Amino acid sequence: MSTALESKVRIQREDFSVTDEIEAIKKSSRNIGGITSFLGTGRESNKGETISELNFEHYPQMAEKKLAEIREKAIKDFGLIDMSIIHRIGNIEIGENIVLIIACGEHRQETFKACEWAIAELKRTTPIWKRETTSKGEVWVQATP
Amino acid sequence: MSTALESKVRIQREDFSVTDEIEAIKKSSRNIGGITSFLGTGRESNKGETISELNFEHYPQMAEKKLAEIREKAIKDFGLIDMSIIHRIGNIEIGENIVLIIACGEHRQETFKACEWAIAELKRTTPIWKRETTSKGEVWVQATP
Amino acid sequence: MMVTVKYFASLKQMAGKEEDQFNVNEDTTLEQLSELIEKSVPQLGNMVREKKVIISLNYDVVPLDTVVKDGDEIALLPPFSGGI
Amino acid sequence: MMVTVKYFASLKQMAGKEEDQFNVNEDTTLEQLSELIEKSVPQLGNMVREKKVIISLNYDVVPLDTVVKDGDEIALLPPFSGGI
């Protein structure tokens, strides 16, 4: 498990610890009152198909650039104290962590809004692709909102 | 740090691990796609006053009953897979964890809505009181939305 | 018949005690009970009338015309401030 | 002048390769470049015209009339499906 918390936006193969990431972002300020986190995990079924494995591929450099843009815009537009975004690539087993977005602020309202916006924006703008393995074989997933 | 995860709603003095609580709730289903968590932490300042310490008191039995009602209503009304709610009591230092609400579902939208509703409902219905220690002494905090 | 009345947070400080026991008649409502509470802790009477304090009966908030039963647990609750 | 065109995810499978190098003239737009791409990977021409594929230039999505420069990195990106 990675404890490398050097960057607030990361794309990595290894798993992450939600607790470690929250403790890292807490260091941003002594005035954090609310921290909203979104954790995406691998679901076993999608549209009736049973998924045995997920695999994520990304466009290096562009994906990190888009995550950094999302983080900066979220902090500015929602008045956050800080945000971190981590997305895993490679093979992901059912139940495993895929993506983590943490938004922290003085009050809770802005952290909910920013976190929900950031995951939607990630899906919209960040070049990451999911391949699902089912009994029918491997399928690249079309984007869903 | 407590690893006692026997109940999905708890009021306790000791700290909790967000990772451990998320891993516990993941066991509810292999079909979880989204997990939204809200973590409330002790802020250093409130309305210009510098806070040195927080202290939470609760009405035993009634507070647990209200948390259980919030959890059941959230699961039913928002179509969640599961929810857990933990609130600490006693002395809390600045930066420490106070409250954790975890909402998990098949899709992310309902987990954001349910988590945001649950923390507002907790503040409205659950008999827990906060005392802040500042340079002026100890003050029982009036409810804020 | 006996009922217990508990005080919490700022009200416990105000009352200087955690609870009272009251011996009440059959058909006593929470509203009538609050008059007995006022005799024990005078400041609380106005707070109940002005709804600055919520009254719970056996862990639920109920209307003030609810009749109490032997062994009931009543509590006087200042505005909540849990969460953050 | 030389530019690199990268293929990702399903398009990489379709192209059977990760990238192409194209020698292009001054003032070549992304739209004109996509005609060269179509010669290399025929299926991609229609997908670009029907906007089933996004084109990025140096890690940003830009209009198709943007002119490329020597050393630019272009990429053909199928619809994203990150997150969950």
Side-chain angles (χ1 to χ4, degrees), chain A residues 40 57 59 61-62 65-66 87 98 123-126 128-130 140-141 143, chain D residues 8-10 12-13 56 59-61 73 75 77-84:
Chain A
E57 181 180 318
Y59 181 2
Q61 291 184 266
M62 180 169 172
K65 181 174 193 282
K66 293 300 153 187
H87 201 299
I98 298 171
K123 291 170 76 76
R124 194 178 73 80
T125 67
T126 307
I128 301 177
W129 299 276
K130 176 164 67 174
W140 286 102
V141 177
Chain D
F8 284 98
S10 55
K12 183 166 64 186
Q13 284 188 321
S56 67
Y59 318 123
D60 277 312
V61 178
E73 178 172 314
L77 312 173
F80 309 142
S81 51
I84 57 163

Side-chain angles (χ1 to χ4, degrees), chain A:
Chain A
M1 188 162 290
S2 168
T3 51
L5 305 170
E6 62 290 339
S7 168
K8 293 280 170 60
V9 300
R10 305 203 308 275
I11 292 180
Q12 62 186 42
R13 292 194 171 268
E14 59 271 25
D15 197 10
F16 45 77
S17 152
V18 180
T19 297
D20 289 353
E21 301 300 333
I22 286 177
E23 290 304 318
I25 208 168
K26 271 187 184 178
K27 295 192 171 69
S28 305
S29 166
R30 284 174 63 82
N31 226 2
I32 296 173
I35 303 175
T36 296
S37 308
F38 177 75
L39 177 66
T41 56
R43 267 195 299 147
E44 188 173 54
S45 93
N46 187 15
K47 294 168 188 158
E49 290 289 335
T50 298
I51 299 160
S52 57
E53 199 181 290
L54 298 167
N55 194 290
F56 287 88
E57 181 180 318
H58 77 308
Y59 181 2
Q61 291 184 266
M62 180 169 172
E64 286 86 347
K65 181 174 193 282
K66 293 300 153 187
L67 295 188
E69 288 172 3
I70 292 168
R71 174 175 177 268
E72 280 159 33
K73 190 162 159 58
I75 291 171
K76 184 166 164 287
D77 288 2
F78 295 92
L80 296 184
I81 291 173
D82 208 346
M83 173 174 272
S84 59
I85 310 177
I86 307 166
H87 201 299
R88 289 178 65 198
I89 51 164
N91 285 332
I92 306 268
E93 306 286 326
I94 302 306
E96 282 191 351
N97 299 332
I98 298 171
V99 57
L100 176 67
I101 300 183
I102 305 176
C104 66
E106 288 190 34
H107 303 284
R108 71 182 191 280
Q109 291 87 348
E110 64 257 28
T111 67
F112 278 107
K113 287 201 190 80
C115 196
E116 192 166 10
W117 173 82
I119 179 67
E121 192 72 359
L122 182 154
K123 291 170 76 76
R124 194 178 73 80
T125 67
T126 307
I128 301 177
W129 299 276
K130 176 164 67 174
R131 204 172 64 219
E132 290 177 350
T133 305
T134 70
S135 58
K136 294 181 183 164
E138 294 192 351
V139 186
W140 286 102
V141 177
Q142 292 294 311
T144 50

Side-chain angles (χ1 to χ4, degrees), chain D residues 29-70:
Chain D
T29 64
L30 286 177
E31 191 139 32
Q32 289 159 344
L33 179 63
S34 71
E35 291 162 22
L36 297 177
I37 294 169
E38 188 171 6
K39 282 181 190 144
S40 172
V41 189
Q43 308 97 305
L44 283 176
N46 265 332
M47 296 181 78
V48 171
R49 277 187 292 275
E50 292 169 10
K51 313 240 186 242
K52 287 180 181 162
V53 164
I54 295 171
I55 298 185
S56 67
L57 175 65
N58 302 329
Y59 318 123
D60 277 312
V61 178
V62 297
L64 289 180
D65 59 3
T66 307
V67 170
V68 300
K69 302 182 308 298
D70 188 50

Side-chain angles (χ1 to χ4, degrees), chain A residues 31-36 103-112, chain B residues 16 38-43 45-47 51 54 56 86-88 92 95-101 118-120 122-124 128-132 141-145, chain C residues 80-84:
Chain A
N31 226 2
I32 296 173
I35 303 175
T36 296
C104 66
E106 288 190 34
H107 303 284
R108 71 182 191 280
Q109 291 87 348
E110 64 257 28
T111 67
F112 278 107
Chain B
F16 45 78
F38 177 77
L39 177 66
T41 56
R43 267 197 299 149
S45 92
N46 187 15
K47 293 167 188 158
I51 299 160
L54 298 167
F56 286 89
I86 307 165
H87 201 299
R88 289 178 65 198
I92 307 268
E96 282 191 352
N97 299 332
I98 298 170
V99 59
L100 176 67
I101 299 182
I119 179 66
L122 181 154
K123 292 170 75 78
R124 195 178 72 80
I128 301 178
W129 300 275
K130 175 163 67 174
R131 204 172 65 218
E132 290 177 350
V141 177
Q142 291 296 308
T144 50
Chain C
F80 309 143
S81 50
I84 56 165

Side-chain angles (χ1 to χ4, degrees), chain B residues 59 62 65, chain C residues 3-4 30 33 55-63 66-69 71-75 77:
Chain B
Y59 179 3
M62 181 170 170
K65 182 175 191 286
Chain C
V3 298
T4 303
L30 286 176
L33 178 64
I55 297 185
S56 67
L57 175 65
N58 301 330
Y59 317 124
D60 278 312
V61 178
V62 296
T66 307
V67 170
V68 301
K69 302 181 306 300
D72 274 354
E73 179 172 312
I74 292 92
L77 312 173

